[in-house]
Amino acid sequence: MKECIKVGLLGAGTVGSGVLTVLEENTAEIEKKVGVPIHVSKILVRDMKKAKELSEKYQLTDKIEDIVEDPEIDIVVELIGREHPAKEYIAAALEHKKNVVTANKDVLAKYGKELFPLAEENKVDFMFEASVGGGIPIIRPLKSCLAANKVTSVMGIVNGTTNYMLTKMSQENMDYADVLREAQEKGYAESDPTADVGGLDAARKLVILASIAFNTRIDLSDVLVEGIDGLDLCDIEHGKELGYAIKLLAIAKNNAEHGISVCVRPTMLPVSHPLAGVNDVFNAIFVTGDAIGDAMFMGRGAGKMPTASAVCGDIIDVARNIIHKSNGRINCTCFDEKHLCSLENMMSPCYIRLHVQDKPGVLAAIAAAFGAQNVSLKNVVQKSKVKGVAELVVITYDVSELNLQMAVQTLKALPIVEKVCSVIRVEDHDLE
Amino acid sequence: MKECIKVGLLGAGTVGSGVLTVLEENTAEIEKKVGVPIHVSKILVRDMKKAKELSEKYQLTDKIEDIVEDPEIDIVVELIGREHPAKEYIAAALEHKKNVVTANKDVLAKYGKELFPLAEENKVDFMFEASVGGGIPIIRPLKSCLAANKVTSVMGIVNGTTNYMLTKMSQENMDYADVLREAQEKGYAESDPTADVGGLDAARKLVILASIAFNTRIDLSDVLVEGIDGLDLCDIEHGKELGYAIKLLAIAKNNAEHGISVCVRPTMLPVSHPLAGVNDVFNAIFVTGDAIGDAMFMGRGAGKMPTASAVCGDIIDVARNIIHKSNGRINCTCFDEKHLCSLENMMSPCYIRLHVQDKPGVLAAIAAAFGAQNVSLKNVVQKSKVKGVAELVVITYDVSELNLQMAVQTLKALPIVEKVCSVIRVEDHDLE
């Protein structure tokens, strides 16, 4: 039996220092759970001079070879972030038969298809619980606890920045620009917030979730992405009146007949839906499977300590595998062919807000334009009337993505339509 | 490598038949995930004649020896329920070096301390994800994903029957007796509902959760248990006015200074708390750890298919261990000594409703009685006045269990107090 498990840590930034804190503070419990102690034997830093304080307790290096070529190191923990050189470092570690733990969603979403086979060839573990939902246990539950299910849908609030912004907009009637400024001041949004507000961050996490949930390799290019940039406060208000909350949802569905659809977009959810009550920077993932029905996992989706919690959980799991010589115990499960759902078969209701001329026959013309694309209307409400222009809010029954796009084109071309202001999908889902 | 993993199923009732359904319907995916197929090779039934239909597809027996002594069987799945003979069957299976999967909370809560060491001696897996929260992944997340945390608190809605009843009382203003009758008619409550409404079922699940969360062996006798029997609709209504929902909570806390407290009781939760929105037969477990902060796991806490989902997830996990020869990979983690918190140190705010004589000086006398036990009052509201008797609702600041009990005794002895109608604990908890 090994006397101790040795970890090489790549990056000692926010999450890296959180990992060091967790391993230091809970040393005794972790040793009891694993059977032997876990030691961080080397840390890769960018600038040795800047990391002086760290060097009093840990051995530092600025060369990746010092870690991946060290025969004593059992687990390489990658917490550098971004695509490069993180991807190359992970690949080098796997090639040197090191078990790897990472929190890097960017690398997983783009290079997962290269890295998972590499881990398998080298019979090592490659774990990434922290890459989606920060501290929330979701990867392991999907891979183990729900492994007997056919998962039919995964819907997640997986970006804390945008959930904080939407919560503020909804609760304090702040508009988009103001709330973005406040989020940046509080450090919840980056100075360039594009990846968050544009939906790319959520899309990367969705790629990881959907690949596991549906046992196939989903690519970033498969995801229809729409962000919250440009979301109008009045749609949040109208939504409230109709009993909906707007959340930026990452949605993956697997329809037995029509295949897989993956999208990130602002979505109206009934206020009674468990995801509708998930506010501020909290994340949550709502999973539906053929046996379990509905289940939800909620917690902090980011931050130093919650993310460190997930990383250290992975380290402990790898360590248990090392002790029991069972590394590679849970392989990549992307064994199925990918069948993507066509736009014709992606169905859901929709909320549409538009400005039309306020004159007789307008409603009939609008209804006819929807009808021509087979879109049935559930609800039409006139919200206001200013200088001959009326604001209409329309809720449709289930409509395919294709028909919806065509209906919107038709509406835009109508002389009586001044503007199609917003098109927001609705997820009506009775709890199963 | 083994060609196939063989399961011996004890009991083919509701959950047992759900397990057969899941294993049949998802055979292909499960085989891909495990590497080899999983077969149910024998089923123990009580009455061979009654199980005729089953005998067309499976080999049946009414003798436990046929299963535990069968050298081909790798995993024994116990789904008989209740304490006996389930406990003896599980022990026999472990002694015959069979891995065991069970959903049996009664056996675990009472005989866990005998059975876990037996599993360890025999180097086999003993898994029980389905014993708490039905389909909700909570045991494995606690044992693996959150393994690096010091868990400070676990609060759960772990009994679907009572949560359904409380939801009905709250949403439809039905009183306790009516809602119990309706729950019995719908099959949500048993004809003898004592274990559910009295809190025993929740207490058993809490014993399992707290033992894992705090790495020590909690006993059923450690739990302070109070059920919802006798809960008055008017307390639910007063709670609502004060911004609280009443839930039957199973609460385990580990205070670094004062030790562990475990209790099951109707509890007032701020409506903004994630557990307050968990309604009907849904269950949820809210965990707080030093690294992760707050996290919540929600889903169906009972029922044929959700429970089968958890059982089959365990079967798959055991099968992966068999393939990798790593059974016993995650041992019992009750390695710490148990330090229970004294009543003096169990603190929380409290809601108290009482009937008092409506005359001058009464409020001062009540306040003095509380004050004598060091109970500070946050809020006193007079709700109504009928024939010289006033109804008062008092919300206290943090008060210890001991001081509260003494204050209630003092109040009862006051001539101006007609009746102390209800004493309900409040959990005020800002999300971490």
Side-chain angles (χ1 to χ4, degrees):
Chain A
M1 179 119 141
K2 288 179 76 82
E3 274 177 26
C4 131
I5 305 286
K6 293 198 173 169
V7 171
L9 181 62
L10 314 186
T14 308
V15 179
S17 62
V19 167
L20 295 174
T21 304
V22 171
L23 293 178
E24 281 168 23
E25 290 187 354
N26 297 334
T27 308
E29 289 87 347
I30 292 173
E31 178 173 344
K32 283 181 197 158
K33 286 178 188 175
V34 173
V36 299
I38 293 178
H39 286 156
V40 175
S41 64
K42 278 182 196 164
I43 302 176
L44 179 77
V45 294
R46 203 162 19 187
D47 187 337
M48 300 279 281
K49 282 178 209 138
K50 280 193 190 158
K52 215 180 150 202
E53 208 181 311
L54 216 54
S55 70
E56 289 166 17
K57 286 165 89 175
Y58 297 99
Q59 189 181 337
L60 306 187
T61 176
D62 54 6
K63 292 184 194 63
I64 182 70
E65 298 74 27
D66 286 348
I67 290 183
V68 297
E69 292 175 7
D70 181 341
E72 298 230 308
I73 286 179
D74 306 289
I75 311 175
V76 172
V77 178
E78 184 278 310
L79 298 171
I80 303 172
R82 309 277 166 116
E83 288 183 16
H84 305 286
K87 182 246 165 176
E88 288 72 23
Y89 288 0
I90 292 174
L94 294 173
E95 280 160 1
H96 283 85
K97 300 198 185 300
K98 304 298 182 201
N99 301 287
V100 172
V101 171
T102 181
N104 195 320
K105 60 191 175 301
D106 302 29
V107 165
L108 286 163
K110 194 156 170 188
Y111 299 105
K113 54 179 166 288
E114 288 178 42
L115 296 172
F116 287 108
L118 203 55
E120 206 154 325
E121 275 166 37
N122 288 286
K123 297 192 172 57
V124 292
D125 289 328
F126 184 27
M127 296 200 185
F128 49 96
E129 183 63 74
S131 65
V132 181
I136 307 170
I138 181 63
I139 304 297
R140 194 169 283 100
L142 280 174
K143 288 206 165 211
S144 289
C145 311
L146 306 185
N149 282 260
K150 274 193 188 79
V151 175
T152 51
S153 136
V154 177
M155 299 205 296
I157 296 171
V158 290
N159 180 276
T161 306
T162 48
N163 203 42
Y164 171 83
M165 291 172 64
L166 291 173
T167 303
K168 279 274 166 181
M169 289 176 79
S170 171
Q171 291 179 350
E172 299 177 20
N173 294 319
M174 287 171 73
D175 72 18
Y176 179 81
D178 292 339
V179 84
L180 176 58
R181 200 174 311 117
E182 198 202 272
Q184 286 172 323
E185 281 164 14
K186 287 201 174 181
Y188 289 156
E190 296 178 44
S191 53
D192 176 5
T194 322
D196 289 323
V197 300
L200 176 62
D201 176 78
R204 285 172 170 146
K205 291 164 179 167
L206 184 62
V207 163
I208 299 170
L209 288 175
S211 297
I212 298 171
F214 305 148
N215 306 316
T216 192
R217 175 67 48 206
I218 303 296
D219 293 299
L220 200 49
S221 57
D222 299 329
V223 187
L224 300 181
V225 185
E226 191 187 326
I228 65 160
D229 34 345
L231 189 72
D232 199 312
L233 181 58
C234 82
D235 291 318
I236 292 182
E237 286 166 356
H238 294 341
K240 263 191 218 174
E241 287 164 23
L242 293 160
Y244 295 115
I246 298 185
K247 293 290 181 186
L248 182 66
L249 288 193
I251 305 172
K253 293 183 181 175
N254 194 0
N255 181 295
E257 190 181 346
H258 298 301
I260 294 169
S261 57
V262 270
C263 60
V264 170
R265 58 189 175 200
T267 307
M268 292 207 174
L269 276 173
V271 290
S272 59
H273 192 286
L275 284 172
V278 176
N279 287 323
D280 301 314
V281 296
F282 277 84
N283 282 16
I285 297 110
F286 191 89
V287 181
T288 308
D290 64 345
I292 192 177
D294 290 327
M296 188 173 87
F297 306 77
M298 195 205 82
R300 293 201 169 267
K304 173 177 169 170
M305 296 307 283
T307 310
S309 164
V311 170
C312 293
D314 278 355
I315 293 174
I316 290 173
D317 212 21
V318 175
R320 284 167 166 161
N321 279 344
I322 293 172
I323 297 298
H324 289 272
K325 301 189 172 60
S326 56
N327 297 105
R329 187 177 161 276
I330 300 188
N331 289 327
C332 175
T333 46
C334 298
F335 42 70
D336 283 345
E337 260 187 76
K338 178 166 71 181
H339 294 291
L340 290 178
C341 183
S342 66
L343 292 182
E344 289 167 71
N345 291 311
M346 292 174 64
M347 307 291 288
S348 66
C350 193
Y351 158 104
I352 299 149
R353 179 168 60 89
L354 60 176
H355 286 166
V356 298
Q357 289 168 16
D358 180 31
K359 56 186 185 189
V362 163
L363 224 59
I366 300 286
F370 276 113
Q373 300 299 339
N374 282 318
V375 183
S376 302
L377 307 186
K378 186 177 179 183
N379 202 347
V380 181
V381 190
Q382 181 170 316
K383 303 305 292 188
S384 64
K385 199 188 290 187
V386 179
K387 291 180 190 165
V389 175
E391 182 169 70
L392 292 185
V393 163
V394 174
I395 304 279
T396 74
Y397 283 102
D398 265 359
V399 44
S400 78
E401 196 61 35
L402 190 68
N403 284 349
L404 179 69
Q405 287 178 8
M406 295 202 301
V408 169
Q409 289 312 315
T410 313
L411 287 170
K412 281 183 177 167
L414 287 183
I416 50 159
V417 173
E418 302 268 325
K419 195 180 172 192
V420 178
C421 310
S422 344
V423 177
I424 301 176
R425 288 295 191 156
V426 176
E427 287 292 331
D428 265 327
H429 176 89
D430 287 327
L431 289 194
E432 281 172 19
Chain B
M1 181 120 139
K2 288 180 76 82
E3 273 177 28
C4 137
I5 305 286
K6 293 198 173 167
V7 170
L9 181 63
L10 313 186
T14 308
V15 179
S17 62
V19 167
L20 295 175
T21 305
V22 171
L23 293 178
E24 281 169 23
E25 289 186 354
N26 297 333
T27 308
E29 289 86 348
I30 293 173
E31 178 174 345
K32 284 181 195 159
K33 286 178 188 174
V34 173
V36 300
I38 293 178
H39 287 155
V40 175
S41 64
K42 278 182 197 163
I43 303 177
L44 179 78
V45 294
R46 203 162 19 184
D47 187 337
M48 299 279 281
K49 281 179 211 139
K50 279 194 191 157
K52 216 182 149 200
E53 209 180 311
L54 217 53
S55 70
E56 289 167 18
K57 285 164 89 174
Y58 298 98
Q59 191 181 334
L60 305 186
T61 175
D62 54 6
K63 294 184 190 63
I64 183 69
E65 299 74 26
D66 286 347
I67 290 182
V68 298
E69 293 175 6
D70 181 342
E72 298 230 308
I73 286 179
D74 307 290
I75 311 174
V76 172
V77 178
E78 184 277 309
L79 298 171
I80 302 172
R82 310 278 166 114
E83 288 183 17
H84 305 286
K87 183 246 166 177
E88 289 71 24
Y89 289 180
I90 292 173
L94 295 172
E95 281 160 0
H96 283 86
K97 301 199 185 299
K98 305 298 182 199
N99 302 287
V100 172
V101 172
T102 180
N104 195 320
K105 60 192 177 301
D106 302 30
V107 166
L108 286 164
K110 193 156 171 189
Y111 299 105
K113 54 178 167 289
E114 287 178 43
L115 296 172
F116 287 107
L118 204 53
E120 206 154 326
E121 276 166 37
N122 288 287
K123 298 192 172 56
V124 292
D125 290 327
F126 185 26
M127 297 201 184
F128 50 94
E129 182 63 75
S131 65
V132 181
I136 306 171
I138 180 64
I139 305 298
R140 194 169 282 102
L142 280 175
K143 288 206 162 209
S144 290
C145 310
L146 306 185
N149 281 262
K150 273 193 189 79
V151 175
T152 52
S153 138
V154 177
M155 299 204 296
I157 296 171
V158 290
N159 180 275
T161 305
T162 48
N163 203 42
Y164 171 83
M165 290 172 64
L166 291 174
T167 304
K168 279 274 166 180
M169 289 176 79
S170 171
Q171 291 179 351
E172 298 176 20
N173 295 319
M174 287 170 74
D175 73 18
Y176 179 81
D178 292 339
V179 84
L180 175 59
R181 200 173 313 119
E182 198 202 272
Q184 286 171 322
E185 281 164 13
K186 287 200 172 182
Y188 291 157
E190 295 178 47
S191 54
D192 175 5
T194 322
D196 289 323
V197 300
L200 176 61
D201 175 79
R204 286 173 170 147
K205 291 165 180 167
L206 185 62
V207 163
I208 300 171
L209 288 175
S211 297
I212 299 172
F214 305 148
N215 306 315
T216 192
R217 174 69 46 208
I218 303 296
D219 292 300
L220 200 49
S221 57
D222 300 328
V223 186
L224 300 180
V225 185
E226 191 187 326
I228 64 161
D229 34 345
L231 189 70
D232 199 313
L233 181 59
C234 83
D235 291 318
I236 292 182
E237 285 164 357
H238 294 340
K240 262 192 218 174
E241 287 163 22
L242 294 160
Y244 295 114
I246 298 185
K247 294 290 181 186
L248 181 66
L249 289 193
I251 305 173
K253 293 183 181 176
N254 194 0
N255 181 296
E257 191 181 346
H258 300 300
I260 293 169
S261 57
V262 271
C263 61
V264 170
R265 58 190 174 198
T267 307
M268 292 208 175
L269 275 173
V271 289
S272 59
H273 192 285
L275 283 172
V278 175
N279 287 323
D280 300 314
V281 295
F282 277 85
N283 282 16
I285 297 110
F286 191 89
V287 182
T288 307
D290 64 345
I292 192 177
D294 290 327
M296 188 173 87
F297 306 78
M298 194 204 84
R300 291 200 171 269
K304 173 177 171 172
M305 297 306 284
T307 310
S309 164
V311 170
C312 292
D314 278 356
I315 294 174
I316 290 174
D317 212 21
V318 175
R320 283 166 166 161
N321 279 345
I322 294 172
I323 297 297
H324 289 272
K325 301 188 172 60
S326 56
N327 296 104
R329 187 177 162 275
I330 300 188
N331 289 328
C332 175
T333 46
C334 298
F335 41 70
D336 282 345
E337 258 188 80
K338 178 166 71 180
H339 294 290
L340 289 178
C341 183
S342 66
L343 292 182
E344 290 168 72
N345 291 311
M346 292 175 64
M347 307 292 286
S348 65
C350 192
Y351 159 105
I352 299 147
R353 180 167 59 90
L354 60 175
H355 287 167
V356 298
Q357 288 168 17
D358 180 32
K359 56 186 184 188
V362 164
L363 224 57
I366 299 286
F370 277 112
Q373 300 299 339
N374 281 318
V375 183
S376 302
L377 307 186
K378 185 177 177 183
N379 203 348
V380 182
V381 190
Q382 181 170 317
K383 304 304 293 185
S384 65
K385 198 188 292 186
V386 179
K387 292 180 190 164
V389 175
E391 182 169 70
L392 291 185
V393 163
V394 174
I395 304 279
T396 73
Y397 284 102
D398 264 359
V399 45
S400 79
E401 196 61 35
L402 190 68
N403 284 350
L404 179 69
Q405 287 177 9
M406 295 202 303
V408 169
Q409 288 313 316
T410 314
L411 286 170
K412 281 183 177 168
L414 287 183
I416 49 157
V417 172
E418 303 269 323
K419 192 181 174 193
V420 177
C421 312
S422 344
V423 178
I424 301 175
R425 288 293 190 160
V426 176
E427 286 292 330
D428 266 327
H429 175 89
D430 287 327
L431 290 193
E432 281 171 19

